[in-house]
Every structure is written in C-alpha cells, then in structure tokens.
Amino acid sequence: PYLKSMKAAMLCQLGTLGGGNHFIEIQKDVANDDVWIMIHSGSRNVGLSVAKQYAKIAVEWCAKWYSETQSGLEFLPIEFEEGKKYLREMEYCKQFALANRKVMMDFIMEGFRLIKPDVEFGDLINIAHNYAAYEHHFGENVIVHRKGATRARMGEIGIIPGSMGTKSFIVEGLGNIESFESCSHGAG
C-alpha cells in the first residue's frame, strides 16, 4: 500500500546510483586477470522510506498494546497483518534494488562492449544487505535481520565494500553457523 504512493519517484530513480556510500568500482583481479564490476546501490530511498513508515506504525502498535520496549526497539508481530505487510514491502524493496543494479550493469556492459566487442561476462552476483529473511539456524526457523551484514553461506560469493578510497573485496562465504552464516558488509 505504501509503495503505491511512491511509484513515480521509484521510476525516476531506477538505474541511478545515488549518493553517500554508493559506488561503481571496476577492479582487475591480480590472481587471474579477471575484471570485476561492482555496483553498490540499493533501493534508492524506497527501502528507507518503507522502513521509516513501518517503524512509525510499530511505535503506535507497541504503545497501543502497552509493550514495554526501549525507544528504537519497537516491533510488529509477523503474525499480524501489519507485520506481514512490512515483510512483503521489504522484499519488494530488495527486488527493486536488484532491478536498479541490473539497469546500471546493462549500461556498463554496453560500454565495455563498445571498447572490446568480444568481451565475455560471467554470472551476476547479487548481494543484499539491510533486510530480514526466513532461515533455518540451530534447529529452528527464525528471521535473520542483516543490518550492515550480508549472507555468507559456505562457498557463496560476496562483496565487502572498501571504505571511501580503498578497494573492495570479493569474498567467499565460510558458512559460519555462529554468525548465522553472515559476514560484514563494510570495511570501515
């Protein structure tokens, strides 16, 4: 529901990088001469807007039901409709972020082909952060919230962005169960 009101803004943002810590990085792998193209951009403020909207709803919900939580730790039960809506809209924001990166990657690949028409590209690696997902850990089905972290299952390829002015790293997940199969999403 909340996303419908944002449709025009989303269309204008599709295929744009954004500011802050967002970047496009092209780097040569010293081990095998591969070239990595990395795009760090997300849902272009859509995800943040959705999160703020539902955080406000969570504050109201906790006050209504006399939940004693610290400020900033309010919640929406996922069994209730508002919690379900939030999870659906968060997933939509993740998919919008992927579509945004795909549009930019298509432009970059087109530029590479202008310079080197016979260039070959490998598979797209999509890494999301700042989201929640249903997963199975320690014998239970849980929701893992990765804020400033990415999933790092055994053998899963990921990226750890460098801090401004330093290179990023392509990494391979170790599947560390103690970290809920997660790794950091930043070098800083």
Side-chain angles (χ1 to χ4, degrees), residues 71-164:
S71 178
L73 295 178
E74 293 82 10
F75 61 93
L76 290 170
I78 59 171
E79 299 85 4
F80 289 21
E81 190 56 33
E82 290 301 323
K84 291 176 184 176
K85 284 180 188 176
Y86 174 58
L87 290 175
R88 283 193 303 268
E89 290 193 25
M90 181 180 14
E91 183 59 32
Y92 182 88
C93 292
K94 275 178 45 186
Q95 295 307 314
F96 180 77
L98 174 58
N100 182 47
R101 290 188 296 272
K102 281 183 174 180
V103 169
M104 286 186 282
M105 186 59 78
D106 286 345
F107 283 125
I108 293 168
M109 289 172 21
E110 184 179 321
F112 269 77
R113 286 187 187 104
L114 288 173
I115 297 167
K116 188 173 173 23
D118 61 340
V119 66
E120 295 179 18
F121 295 96
D123 294 333
L124 176 75
I125 299 168
N126 180 42
I127 305 298
H129 69 285
N130 298 344
Y131 69 99
Y134 288 99
E135 296 181 10
H136 191 79
H137 295 280
F138 302 102
E140 293 187 46
N141 294 323
V142 296
I143 296 177
V144 176
H145 180 235
R146 291 189 175 93
K147 173 74 174 152
T150 60
R151 197 178 65 201
R153 292 181 176 152
M154 178 62 77
E156 187 171 28
I157 301 297
I159 177 177
I160 298 179
S163 54
M164 298 304 211

Coordinates of all heavy atoms in Angstrom, one line a residue, residues 71-164:
S71 N 13.0 2.8 23.3 CA 12.9 3.5 22.1 C 13.8 3.0 21.0 O 15.0 2.8 21.2 CB 13.2 5.0 22.4 OG 13.0 5.8 21.2
G72 N 13.3 2.8 19.8 CA 14.1 2.3 18.7 C 14.0 0.8 18.6 O 14.5 0.2 17.6
L73 N 13.4 0.1 19.6 CA 13.3 -1.4 19.6 C 11.8 -1.8 19.4 O 11.5 -3.0 19.7 CB 13.9 -2.0 20.8 CG 15.4 -1.8 21.0 CD1 15.9 -2.4 22.3 CD2 16.2 -2.4 19.8
E74 N 11.0 -0.9 18.9 CA 9.6 -1.3 18.7 C 9.5 -2.4 17.6 O 10.4 -2.5 16.8 CB 8.8 -0.1 18.3 CG 8.6 1.0 19.4 CD 9.8 1.9 19.5 OE1 10.7 1.9 18.6 OE2 9.9 2.6 20.5
F75 N 8.4 -3.1 17.6 CA 8.3 -4.2 16.7 C 6.8 -4.4 16.2 O 5.9 -3.8 16.8 CB 8.7 -5.5 17.4 CG 7.9 -5.8 18.6 CD1 6.7 -6.6 18.5 CD2 8.2 -5.3 19.9 CE1 6.0 -6.9 19.6 CE2 7.4 -5.5 21.0 CZ 6.3 -6.4 20.9
L76 N 6.7 -5.1 15.1 CA 5.4 -5.5 14.6 C 5.4 -7.1 14.6 O 6.2 -7.7 13.9 CB 5.2 -5.0 13.2 CG 5.0 -3.5 13.1 CD1 5.1 -3.1 11.6 CD2 3.7 -3.1 13.7
P77 N 4.5 -7.7 15.3 CA 4.4 -9.2 15.2 C 4.1 -9.6 13.8 O 3.2 -9.1 13.1 CB 3.2 -9.5 16.1 CG 3.1 -8.3 17.0 CD 3.5 -7.1 16.2
I78 N 4.9 -10.6 13.3 CA 4.7 -11.1 12.0 C 3.4 -11.9 11.8 O 3.0 -12.1 10.6 CB 5.9 -11.9 11.5 CG1 6.1 -13.1 12.4 CG2 7.1 -11.0 11.4 CD1 7.2 -14.0 11.8
E79 N 2.8 -12.2 12.9 CA 1.5 -13.0 12.8 C 0.4 -12.0 12.4 O -0.7 -12.4 12.0 CB 1.2 -13.7 14.1 CG 2.2 -14.7 14.5 CD 3.3 -14.1 15.3 OE1 3.4 -12.9 15.6 OE2 4.3 -14.9 15.6
F80 N 0.6 -10.7 12.7 CA -0.5 -9.7 12.4 C -0.3 -9.1 11.0 O 0.8 -9.2 10.4 CB -0.4 -8.6 13.4 CG -0.8 -9.0 14.8 CD1 -0.8 -10.3 15.2 CD2 -1.2 -8.1 15.7 CE1 -1.2 -10.7 16.5 CE2 -1.6 -8.4 17.0 CZ -1.6 -9.7 17.4
E81 N -1.3 -8.6 10.5 CA -1.3 -8.1 9.1 C -0.3 -7.0 8.8 O 0.4 -7.0 7.8 CB -2.7 -7.5 8.7 CG -2.9 -7.2 7.3 CD -2.6 -8.4 6.3 OE1 -2.8 -9.6 6.7 OE2 -2.0 -8.1 5.2
E82 N -0.1 -6.1 9.8 CA 0.9 -5.0 9.6 C 2.3 -5.6 9.5 O 3.2 -5.1 8.7 CB 0.9 -3.9 10.7 CG -0.4 -3.1 10.6 CD -0.5 -2.3 9.3 OE1 0.5 -1.9 8.7 OE2 -1.7 -2.2 8.8
G83 N 2.6 -6.6 10.3 CA 3.9 -7.3 10.2 C 4.1 -8.0 8.9 O 5.2 -7.9 8.2
K84 N 3.1 -8.6 8.4 CA 3.1 -9.3 7.1 C 3.3 -8.3 5.9 O 4.1 -8.6 5.0 CB 1.8 -10.1 6.9 CG 1.7 -11.3 7.8 CD 0.4 -12.1 7.6 CE 0.3 -13.2 8.6 NZ -1.0 -13.9 8.6
K85 N 2.6 -7.2 6.0 CA 2.7 -6.2 5.0 C 4.2 -5.6 5.0 O 4.7 -5.4 3.9 CB 1.8 -5.0 5.3 CG 0.4 -5.3 5.0 CD -0.5 -4.0 5.3 CE -1.9 -4.2 5.2 NZ -2.7 -3.0 5.6
Y86 N 4.7 -5.4 6.1 CA 6.1 -4.9 6.2 C 7.1 -5.9 5.5 O 7.9 -5.5 4.7 CB 6.5 -4.6 7.6 CG 8.0 -4.2 7.7 CD1 8.5 -3.1 7.0 CD2 8.9 -4.9 8.4 CE1 9.8 -2.7 7.0 CE2 10.3 -4.6 8.5 CZ 10.7 -3.5 7.8 OH 12.0 -3.1 7.8
L87 N 7.0 -7.2 5.8 CA 7.9 -8.1 5.2 C 7.7 -8.2 3.7 O 8.7 -8.3 3.0 CB 7.6 -9.5 5.8 CG 8.1 -9.7 7.3 CD1 7.7 -11.1 7.8 CD2 9.6 -9.5 7.4
R88 N 6.4 -8.1 3.2 CA 6.2 -8.1 1.8 C 6.8 -6.9 1.1 O 7.5 -7.0 0.1 CB 4.7 -8.2 1.5 CG 4.1 -9.5 1.6 CD 2.7 -9.6 1.0 NE 1.8 -8.6 1.6 CZ 1.0 -8.8 2.6 NH1 0.9 -10.0 3.2 NH2 0.1 -7.9 3.0
E89 N 6.6 -5.7 1.8 CA 7.2 -4.5 1.2 C 8.7 -4.4 1.2 O 9.3 -3.9 0.3 CB 6.5 -3.3 1.8 CG 5.1 -3.1 1.4 CD 4.4 -1.8 1.8 OE1 5.2 -0.8 1.9 OE2 3.2 -1.8 1.9
M90 N 9.3 -5.0 2.3 CA 10.7 -5.1 2.4 C 11.3 -6.0 1.3 O 12.3 -5.6 0.6 CB 11.2 -5.6 3.7 CG 12.7 -5.7 3.9 SD 13.3 -6.4 5.4 CE 12.0 -7.1 6.2
E91 N 10.6 -7.1 1.0 CA 11.0 -8.0 -0.1 C 10.9 -7.2 -1.4 O 11.8 -7.3 -2.3 CB 10.2 -9.2 -0.1 CG 10.6 -10.2 -1.2 CD 12.1 -10.7 -1.1 OE1 12.6 -10.8 0.1 OE2 12.7 -11.0 -2.1
Y92 N 9.8 -6.5 -1.6 CA 9.7 -5.7 -2.8 C 10.8 -4.7 -3.0 O 11.4 -4.5 -4.1 CB 8.3 -4.9 -2.8 CG 8.1 -4.1 -4.1 CD1 7.5 -4.7 -5.2 CD2 8.5 -2.8 -4.2 CE1 7.3 -4.0 -6.3 CE2 8.3 -2.1 -5.3 CZ 7.7 -2.7 -6.4 OH 7.5 -2.0 -7.5
C93 N 11.2 -4.1 -1.9 CA 12.3 -3.1 -2.0 C 13.6 -3.8 -2.3 O 14.4 -3.3 -3.1 CB 12.5 -2.4 -0.6 SG 11.1 -1.3 -0.2
K94 N 13.9 -5.0 -1.8 CA 15.0 -5.8 -2.2 C 15.0 -6.1 -3.7 O 16.0 -6.0 -4.4 CB 15.1 -7.1 -1.5 CG 15.7 -7.1 -0.1 CD 15.7 -8.4 0.6 CE 16.1 -9.6 -0.3 NZ 15.9 -10.9 0.4
Q95 N 13.9 -6.4 -4.3 CA 13.7 -6.7 -5.7 C 13.9 -5.4 -6.5 O 14.5 -5.5 -7.6 CB 12.4 -7.4 -6.0 CG 12.3 -8.8 -5.4 CD 13.5 -9.7 -5.7 OE1 13.9 -9.8 -6.9 NE2 14.0 -10.4 -4.7
F96 N 13.4 -4.3 -6.0 CA 13.6 -3.0 -6.7 C 15.1 -2.7 -6.8 O 15.6 -2.2 -7.8 CB 12.8 -1.9 -6.1 CG 13.0 -0.6 -6.7 CD1 12.3 -0.3 -7.9 CD2 13.8 0.4 -6.2 CE1 12.5 0.9 -8.6 CE2 14.0 1.6 -6.8 CZ 13.3 1.9 -8.0
A97 N 15.8 -2.9 -5.7 CA 17.2 -2.6 -5.6 C 18.0 -3.5 -6.6 O 18.9 -3.0 -7.3 CB 17.7 -2.9 -4.2
L98 N 17.6 -4.7 -6.7 CA 18.2 -5.6 -7.7 C 17.9 -5.1 -9.1 O 18.9 -5.0 -10.0 CB 17.7 -7.0 -7.6 CG 18.2 -8.0 -8.6 CD1 19.7 -8.1 -8.7 CD2 17.6 -9.4 -8.4
A99 N 16.7 -4.7 -9.4 CA 16.4 -4.2 -10.7 C 17.2 -2.9 -11.0 O 17.7 -2.7 -12.2 CB 14.9 -3.9 -10.8
N100 N 17.3 -2.1 -10.0 CA 18.1 -0.8 -10.2 C 19.6 -1.2 -10.6 O 20.1 -0.6 -11.5 CB 18.1 -0.1 -8.8 CG 18.8 1.2 -8.9 OD1 18.7 2.0 -9.8 ND2 19.6 1.5 -7.9
R101 N 20.2 -2.1 -9.9 CA 21.6 -2.5 -10.2 C 21.7 -3.2 -11.6 O 22.6 -2.9 -12.3 CB 22.1 -3.4 -9.1 CG 22.3 -2.7 -7.8 CD 23.1 -3.6 -6.8 NE 22.3 -4.7 -6.3 CZ 21.5 -4.8 -5.4 NH1 21.2 -3.7 -4.7 NH2 20.9 -5.9 -5.0
K102 N 20.7 -3.9 -11.9 CA 20.7 -4.6 -13.3 C 20.7 -3.6 -14.4 O 21.4 -3.7 -15.4 CB 19.5 -5.5 -13.4 CG 19.7 -6.9 -12.7 CD 18.5 -7.8 -13.0 CE 18.7 -9.2 -12.4 NZ 17.6 -10.1 -12.7
V103 N 19.9 -2.5 -14.2 CA 19.8 -1.5 -15.2 C 21.2 -0.8 -15.4 O 21.7 -0.6 -16.5 CB 18.7 -0.4 -14.9 CG1 18.8 0.8 -15.8 CG2 17.3 -1.0 -15.0
M104 N 21.8 -0.5 -14.2 CA 23.1 0.1 -14.3 C 24.2 -0.8 -14.9 O 25.0 -0.4 -15.7 CB 23.6 0.6 -12.9 CG 22.8 1.8 -12.4 SD 23.5 2.4 -10.8 CE 22.7 1.3 -9.7
M105 N 24.1 -2.1 -14.5 CA 25.0 -3.1 -15.1 C 24.9 -3.2 -16.6 O 25.9 -3.3 -17.3 CB 24.9 -4.4 -14.4 CG 25.9 -5.5 -14.8 SD 27.6 -4.9 -14.4 CE 27.7 -5.3 -12.7
D106 N 23.7 -3.2 -17.1 CA 23.4 -3.3 -18.5 C 24.1 -2.1 -19.2 O 24.8 -2.3 -20.3 CB 22.0 -3.3 -18.8 CG 21.3 -4.6 -18.5 OD1 22.0 -5.6 -18.3 OD2 20.0 -4.6 -18.5
F107 N 24.1 -0.9 -18.7 CA 24.7 0.2 -19.3 C 26.3 0.1 -19.2 O 27.0 0.4 -20.2 CB 24.4 1.5 -18.6 CG 23.0 2.1 -18.9 CD1 22.1 2.3 -17.9 CD2 22.7 2.3 -20.2 CE1 20.8 2.8 -18.3 CE2 21.4 2.8 -20.6 CZ 20.5 3.0 -19.6
I108 N 26.8 -0.4 -18.1 CA 28.2 -0.6 -18.0 C 28.7 -1.7 -19.0 O 29.7 -1.5 -19.7 CB 28.6 -1.0 -16.5 CG1 28.3 0.2 -15.6 CG2 30.0 -1.4 -16.4 CD1 28.3 -0.2 -14.1
M109 N 28.0 -2.8 -19.1 CA 28.3 -3.8 -20.0 C 28.3 -3.3 -21.5 O 29.2 -3.7 -22.3 CB 27.4 -5.1 -19.8 CG 27.7 -5.8 -18.5 SD 26.6 -7.1 -18.0 CE 25.8 -7.7 -19.4
E110 N 27.3 -2.5 -21.8 CA 27.3 -1.9 -23.1 C 28.5 -1.1 -23.4 O 29.1 -1.1 -24.5 CB 26.0 -1.1 -23.2 CG 25.7 -0.5 -24.6 CD 24.5 0.4 -24.6 OE1 23.5 -0.1 -23.9 OE2 24.5 1.4 -25.2
G111 N 28.9 -0.3 -22.4 CA 30.2 0.5 -22.5 C 31.4 -0.4 -22.8 O 32.2 -0.1 -23.6
F112 N 31.5 -1.5 -22.0 CA 32.6 -2.4 -22.2 C 32.6 -3.0 -23.6 O 33.7 -3.1 -24.3 CB 32.6 -3.6 -21.2 CG 33.3 -3.3 -19.9 CD1 32.8 -2.5 -19.0 CD2 34.6 -3.9 -19.7 CE1 33.5 -2.2 -17.8 CE2 35.3 -3.6 -18.6 CZ 34.8 -2.8 -17.6
R113 N 31.4 -3.3 -24.1 CA 31.3 -3.9 -25.5 C 31.7 -2.9 -26.6 O 32.2 -3.3 -27.6 CB 29.9 -4.4 -25.7 CG 29.6 -5.7 -25.0 CD 28.2 -6.2 -25.4 NE 27.9 -7.4 -24.5 CZ 27.0 -7.3 -23.5 NH1 26.3 -6.2 -23.3 NH2 26.8 -8.4 -22.8
L114 N 31.5 -1.6 -26.3 CA 31.9 -0.6 -27.3 C 33.4 -0.5 -27.4 O 34.0 -0.3 -28.5 CB 31.4 0.8 -26.9 CG 29.9 1.1 -27.0 CD1 29.5 2.4 -26.4 CD2 29.5 1.0 -28.5
I115 N 34.1 -0.8 -26.3 CA 35.6 -0.8 -26.3 C 36.1 -2.1 -26.8 O 37.1 -2.2 -27.5 CB 36.1 -0.4 -24.9 CG1 35.7 1.0 -24.5 CG2 37.6 -0.6 -24.8 CD1 35.8 1.3 -23.0
K116 N 35.5 -3.2 -26.3 CA 36.0 -4.6 -26.6 C 34.8 -5.5 -27.0 O 34.2 -6.1 -26.1 CB 36.8 -5.1 -25.4 CG 37.4 -6.5 -25.7 CD 38.3 -6.8 -24.4 CE 38.9 -8.1 -24.4 NZ 39.3 -9.0 -25.3
P117 N 34.4 -5.5 -28.3 CA 33.2 -6.2 -28.7 C 33.1 -7.7 -28.3 O 32.0 -8.2 -28.1 CB 33.2 -6.0 -30.2 CG 34.0 -4.8 -30.5 CD 35.1 -4.8 -29.4
D118 N 34.2 -8.3 -28.2 CA 34.2 -9.8 -27.8 C 34.3 -10.1 -26.3 O 34.5 -11.2 -25.9 CB 35.3 -10.5 -28.6 CG 36.7 -10.0 -28.2 OD1 36.8 -8.8 -27.7 OD2 37.7 -10.7 -28.4
V119 N 34.1 -9.0 -25.5 CA 34.2 -9.2 -24.1 C 33.1 -10.2 -23.6 O 32.0 -10.3 -24.2 CB 34.0 -7.9 -23.3 CG1 32.6 -7.3 -23.5 CG2 34.4 -8.1 -21.8
E120 N 33.5 -11.1 -22.6 CA 32.5 -12.0 -22.1 C 32.3 -11.7 -20.6 O 33.2 -11.3 -19.9 CB 33.1 -13.4 -22.2 CG 33.2 -13.9 -23.6 CD 33.8 -15.3 -23.7 OE1 33.8 -16.1 -22.6 OE2 34.3 -15.7 -24.8
F121 N 31.1 -11.8 -20.2 CA 30.7 -11.5 -18.8 C 30.3 -12.8 -18.1 O 29.6 -13.7 -18.7 CB 29.5 -10.5 -18.7 CG 29.9 -9.2 -19.3 CD1 29.7 -8.8 -20.6 CD2 30.6 -8.3 -18.5 CE1 30.0 -7.6 -21.1 CE2 31.0 -7.0 -19.0 CZ 30.7 -6.7 -20.3
G122 N 30.6 -12.9 -16.8 CA 30.2 -14.1 -16.0 C 28.8 -13.8 -15.4 O 28.1 -12.8 -15.8
D123 N 28.4 -14.7 -14.6 CA 27.1 -14.6 -13.9 C 27.0 -13.4 -13.0 O 28.0 -13.0 -12.4 CB 26.7 -15.8 -13.2 CG 26.6 -17.0 -14.0 OD1 26.2 -16.9 -15.2 OD2 26.8 -18.2 -13.6
L124 N 25.9 -12.8 -12.9 CA 25.6 -11.7 -11.9 C 25.6 -12.3 -10.5 O 25.0 -13.3 -10.3 CB 24.2 -11.1 -12.2 CG 23.8 -10.0 -11.3 CD1 24.5 -8.7 -11.6 CD2 22.3 -9.8 -11.4
I125 N 26.3 -11.6 -9.6 CA 26.3 -12.0 -8.2 C 25.5 -10.9 -7.5 O 25.9 -9.7 -7.5 CB 27.7 -12.0 -7.6 CG1 28.5 -13.1 -8.4 CG2 27.7 -12.3 -6.1 CD1 30.0 -13.1 -8.1
N126 N 24.4 -11.2 -6.9 CA 23.5 -10.3 -6.2 C 23.7 -10.4 -4.7 O 23.5 -11.5 -4.1 CB 22.1 -10.5 -6.6 CG 21.2 -9.5 -5.9 OD1 21.5 -8.3 -5.8 ND2 20.0 -10.0 -5.4
I127 N 24.1 -9.4 -4.0 CA 24.3 -9.4 -2.6 C 23.4 -8.3 -2.0 O 23.5 -7.1 -2.3 CB 25.8 -9.0 -2.2 CG1 26.7 -10.0 -2.9 CG2 26.0 -9.0 -0.7 CD1 26.5 -11.4 -2.5
A128 N 22.5 -8.7 -1.1 CA 21.7 -7.7 -0.4 C 22.1 -7.5 1.1 O 22.7 -8.4 1.7 CB 20.2 -8.2 -0.4
H129 N 21.9 -6.3 1.6 CA 22.1 -6.1 3.0 C 21.0 -5.2 3.5 O 20.2 -4.6 2.7 CB 23.5 -5.5 3.2 CG 23.6 -4.1 2.7 ND1 23.7 -3.8 1.4 CD2 23.6 -2.9 3.4 CE1 23.8 -2.5 1.2 NE2 23.8 -1.9 2.4
N130 N 20.8 -5.1 4.8 CA 19.8 -4.3 5.4 C 18.4 -4.9 5.1 O 17.5 -4.3 4.5 CB 19.8 -2.8 5.0 CG 21.1 -2.1 5.5 OD1 21.8 -2.7 6.3 ND2 21.4 -1.0 4.9
Y131 N 18.2 -6.2 5.4 CA 17.0 -6.8 5.2 C 16.8 -8.0 6.2 O 17.7 -8.3 7.0 CB 16.9 -7.4 3.8 CG 17.9 -8.6 3.6 CD1 17.5 -9.9 3.7 CD2 19.3 -8.4 3.4 CE1 18.3 -11.0 3.6 CE2 20.1 -9.5 3.3 CZ 19.7 -10.7 3.4 OH 20.5 -11.8 3.3
A132 N 15.6 -8.5 6.2 CA 15.3 -9.7 7.1 C 14.9 -10.8 6.2 O 14.2 -10.6 5.1 CB 14.2 -9.3 8.1
A133 N 15.2 -12.1 6.6 CA 14.8 -13.2 5.8 C 14.5 -14.4 6.7 O 15.1 -14.6 7.8 CB 16.0 -13.6 4.8
Y134 N 13.6 -15.2 6.3 CA 13.3 -16.5 7.0 C 14.5 -17.5 6.7 O 14.8 -17.7 5.5 CB 12.0 -17.1 6.5 CG 10.8 -16.4 6.9 CD1 10.1 -15.5 6.1 CD2 10.2 -16.6 8.2 CE1 9.0 -14.8 6.5 CE2 9.1 -15.9 8.6 CZ 8.5 -15.0 7.7 OH 7.4 -14.4 8.1
E135 N 15.0 -18.0 7.7 CA 16.1 -19.0 7.5 C 16.0 -20.1 8.6 O 15.2 -19.9 9.6 CB 17.5 -18.3 7.6 CG 17.7 -17.3 6.4 CD 19.1 -16.7 6.5 OE1 19.9 -17.1 7.3 OE2 19.3 -15.7 5.7
H136 N 16.8 -21.1 8.5 CA 16.8 -22.2 9.5 C 18.2 -22.2 10.1 O 19.2 -22.4 9.5 CB 16.5 -23.5 8.8 CG 16.3 -24.6 9.8 ND1 15.1 -24.8 10.4 CD2 17.1 -25.6 10.3 CE1 15.1 -25.8 11.2 NE2 16.3 -26.3 11.1
H137 N 18.3 -22.0 11.4 CA 19.5 -22.0 12.2 C 19.3 -22.6 13.6 O 18.2 -22.4 14.2 CB 20.0 -20.5 12.4 CG 20.4 -19.8 11.2 ND1 21.6 -20.1 10.5 CD2 19.8 -19.0 10.4 CE1 21.7 -19.3 9.4 NE2 20.6 -18.6 9.3
F138 N 20.3 -23.4 14.0 CA 20.3 -24.0 15.3 C 19.0 -24.8 15.6 O 18.4 -24.8 16.6 CB 20.5 -23.0 16.4 CG 21.7 -22.2 16.3 CD1 21.7 -20.9 15.8 CD2 23.0 -22.8 16.6 CE1 22.9 -20.2 15.6 CE2 24.1 -22.0 16.5 CZ 24.1 -20.8 16.0
G139 N 18.5 -25.5 14.5 CA 17.4 -26.4 14.6 C 16.0 -25.6 14.6 O 15.0 -26.3 14.9
E140 N 16.0 -24.3 14.4 CA 14.8 -23.6 14.4 C 14.6 -22.7 13.2 O 15.6 -22.3 12.6 CB 14.8 -22.7 15.6 CG 14.7 -23.4 16.9 CD 14.5 -22.4 18.1 OE1 13.7 -21.5 18.0 OE2 15.2 -22.6 19.1
N141 N 13.4 -22.5 12.8 CA 13.1 -21.5 11.7 C 13.0 -20.1 12.4 O 12.3 -19.9 13.4 CB 11.7 -21.8 11.1 CG 11.8 -23.1 10.3 OD1 12.8 -23.4 9.7 ND2 10.7 -23.9 10.3
V142 N 13.8 -19.2 11.9 CA 14.0 -17.9 12.5 C 14.0 -16.8 11.4 O 14.0 -17.1 10.2 CB 15.3 -17.8 13.3 CG1 15.3 -18.7 14.5 CG2 16.5 -18.0 12.4
I143 N 13.9 -15.6 11.8 CA 14.0 -14.5 10.9 C 15.4 -13.8 11.3 O 15.6 -13.4 12.4 CB 12.9 -13.4 11.1 CG1 11.6 -14.1 10.6 CG2 13.2 -12.2 10.2 CD1 10.4 -13.1 10.8
V144 N 16.3 -13.8 10.3 CA 17.6 -13.2 10.5 C 17.5 -11.8 9.9 O 17.2 -11.6 8.7 CB 18.7 -14.0 9.8 CG1 20.0 -13.3 9.9 CG2 18.7 -15.4 10.4
H145 N 17.9 -10.8 10.7 CA 17.9 -9.4 10.2 C 19.4 -9.0 10.0 O 20.2 -9.1 10.9 CB 17.3 -8.4 11.2 CG 17.3 -7.0 10.8 ND1 17.9 -6.0 11.5 CD2 16.9 -6.4 9.6 CE1 17.8 -4.9 10.9 NE2 17.2 -5.1 9.7
R146 N 19.7 -8.7 8.8 CA 21.1 -8.4 8.4 C 21.2 -6.9 8.2 O 20.8 -6.4 7.1 CB 21.6 -9.2 7.2 CG 21.8 -10.6 7.6 CD 22.5 -11.4 6.5 NE 22.8 -12.8 6.9 CZ 21.9 -13.8 6.7 NH1 20.8 -13.6 6.0 NH2 22.2 -15.0 7.1
K147 N 21.6 -6.2 9.1 CA 21.8 -4.7 9.0 C 23.3 -4.5 9.1 O 24.0 -4.8 10.1 CB 21.1 -4.0 10.2 CG 21.4 -2.5 10.3 CD 20.7 -1.8 9.3 CE 20.8 -0.3 9.5 NZ 20.7 0.5 8.3
G148 N 23.9 -4.0 8.0 CA 25.3 -3.9 7.9 C 26.0 -5.2 7.8 O 27.2 -5.4 8.1
A149 N 25.3 -6.2 7.3 CA 25.9 -7.6 7.1 C 25.2 -8.2 5.8 O 24.2 -7.7 5.4 CB 25.6 -8.5 8.3
T150 N 25.9 -9.2 5.3 CA 25.4 -9.9 4.1 C 25.4 -11.4 4.4 O 26.2 -11.9 5.3 CB 26.2 -9.6 2.8 OG1 27.5 -10.0 3.0 CG2 26.1 -8.2 2.5
R151 N 24.6 -12.2 3.7 CA 24.7 -13.6 3.9 C 26.0 -14.2 3.3 O 26.5 -13.7 2.3 CB 23.5 -14.2 3.1 CG 23.2 -15.6 3.6 CD 22.0 -16.2 2.8 NE 22.3 -16.3 1.4 CZ 21.4 -16.3 0.5 NH1 20.1 -16.3 0.7 NH2 21.8 -16.4 -0.8
A152 N 26.5 -15.2 4.0 CA 27.8 -15.8 3.6 C 27.8 -17.3 3.9 O 28.5 -17.8 4.7 CB 29.0 -15.1 4.4
R153 N 26.9 -18.0 3.2 CA 26.8 -19.4 3.3 C 28.1 -20.0 2.7 O 28.8 -19.4 1.9 CB 25.6 -19.9 2.5 CG 24.3 -19.5 3.1 CD 23.1 -20.1 2.4 NE 21.9 -19.8 3.1 CZ 20.7 -19.6 2.5 NH1 20.6 -19.7 1.1 NH2 19.6 -19.3 3.2
M154 N 28.4 -21.2 3.0 CA 29.6 -21.9 2.6 C 29.7 -21.8 1.1 O 28.8 -22.2 0.3 CB 29.5 -23.4 3.0 CG 30.8 -24.2 2.5 SD 32.3 -23.6 3.2 CE 32.2 -24.2 4.9
G155 N 30.8 -21.2 0.6 CA 31.0 -21.1 -0.9 C 30.3 -20.0 -1.6 O 30.5 -19.8 -2.8
E156 N 29.4 -19.3 -0.9 CA 28.7 -18.2 -1.5 C 29.6 -17.0 -1.8 O 30.3 -16.6 -0.9 CB 27.5 -17.8 -0.6 CG 26.6 -16.8 -1.2 CD 25.3 -16.6 -0.3 OE1 25.4 -16.8 0.9 OE2 24.3 -16.3 -0.9
I157 N 29.6 -16.5 -3.0 CA 30.4 -15.3 -3.3 C 29.7 -14.0 -2.8 O 28.5 -13.9 -2.9 CB 30.6 -15.2 -4.9 CG1 31.3 -16.5 -5.4 CG2 31.4 -14.0 -5.2 CD1 32.7 -16.8 -4.8
G158 N 30.5 -13.1 -2.3 CA 30.0 -11.9 -1.8 C 31.0 -10.8 -2.0 O 32.0 -10.9 -2.6
I159 N 30.6 -9.6 -1.5 CA 31.5 -8.4 -1.7 C 31.5 -7.7 -0.3 O 30.5 -7.6 0.4 CB 31.0 -7.4 -2.7 CG1 31.8 -6.2 -2.8 CG2 29.5 -7.1 -2.6 CD1 31.4 -5.2 -3.9
I160 N 32.7 -7.3 0.1 CA 32.8 -6.4 1.2 C 33.4 -5.1 0.7 O 34.5 -5.0 0.3 CB 33.8 -7.0 2.3 CG1 33.2 -8.3 2.8 CG2 34.0 -6.0 3.4 CD1 34.1 -9.0 3.9
P161 N 32.5 -4.1 0.6 CA 32.9 -2.8 0.1 C 34.0 -2.2 0.9 O 34.0 -2.3 2.1 CB 31.7 -1.9 0.1 CG 30.6 -2.9 0.2 CD 31.1 -4.0 1.0
G162 N 35.0 -1.5 0.3 CA 36.0 -0.8 1.0 C 35.5 0.5 1.5 O 34.4 0.9 1.2
S163 N 36.3 1.1 2.4 CA 35.9 2.5 2.8 C 36.3 3.4 1.7 O 37.1 3.1 0.9 CB 36.5 2.8 4.2 OG 37.9 2.6 4.1
M164 N 35.7 4.6 1.7 CA 35.9 5.6 0.6 C 37.4 5.7 0.3 O 38.2 6.0 1.2 CB 35.3 6.9 1.0 CG 33.9 6.9 1.2 SD 33.0 6.3 -0.2 CE 31.5 7.1 -0.1

